[in-house]
């Protein structure tokens, strides 16, 4: 499958998922589309819940990984996000987990 994540604003994204599925069964396309929409919705729901836990719990495994990898999150990704938000005229609040990174 392919996915695209587009930043619409500092706190909003638009996602697109394209999947080529052959269920090896004679299912109507409407059924396949319905199942895929539900599966994508569940996947995005789980992703949002995981992201919320990062900011809420200091010992969250994802937050620990962010803290322990400043080369990627602090030095590589953060400047790109800041530059993009500045270009769009958006105010970008740096996520707390990145600020906790060991410099």
């Amino acid at each position: 499958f392919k996915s695209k994540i587009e930043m619409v604003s500092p706190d909003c994204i638009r996602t697109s998922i394209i999947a080529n599925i052959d269920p090896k069964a004679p299912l109507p396309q409407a059924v396949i589309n319905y199942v895929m929409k539900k599966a994508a919705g569940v996947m995005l729901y789980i992703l949002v819940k995981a992201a919320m836990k990062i900011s809420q719990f200091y010992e969250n495994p994802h937050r620990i990984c962010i803290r322990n990898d400043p080369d990627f999150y602090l030095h590589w990704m953060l400047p790109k996000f800041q530059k993009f938000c500045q270009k769009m005229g958006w105010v970008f609040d740096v996520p707390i987990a990145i600020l906790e990174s060991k410099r």
Side-chain angles (χ1 to χ4, degrees), residues 23-68:
K24 305 285 187 208
L27 292 174
Q29 189 63 43
V31 171
I32 295 171
N33 291 344
Y34 175 80
V35 170
M36 288 306 301
K37 285 180 184 179
K38 291 296 180 185
V42 168
M43 183 179 73
L44 291 173
Y45 173 79
I46 292 169
L47 182 64
V48 167
K49 287 297 212 182
M52 290 173 69
K53 287 180 184 177
I54 292 171
S55 64
Q56 294 172 348
F57 303 108
Y58 185 77
E59 291 304 319
N60 178 279
H62 296 291
R63 189 167 175 167
I64 292 169
C65 288
I66 291 170
R67 265 197 316 267
N68 293 335

Side-chain angles (χ1 to χ4, degrees), residues 9 13 17 21 25-26 30 33 42 44 54 56 63 73 90 99:
S9 72
I13 61 169
I17 299 172
I21 297 175
N33 291 344
V42 168
L44 291 173
I54 292 171
Q56 294 172 348
R63 189 167 175 167
Y73 292 100
W90 299 337
L99 294 175

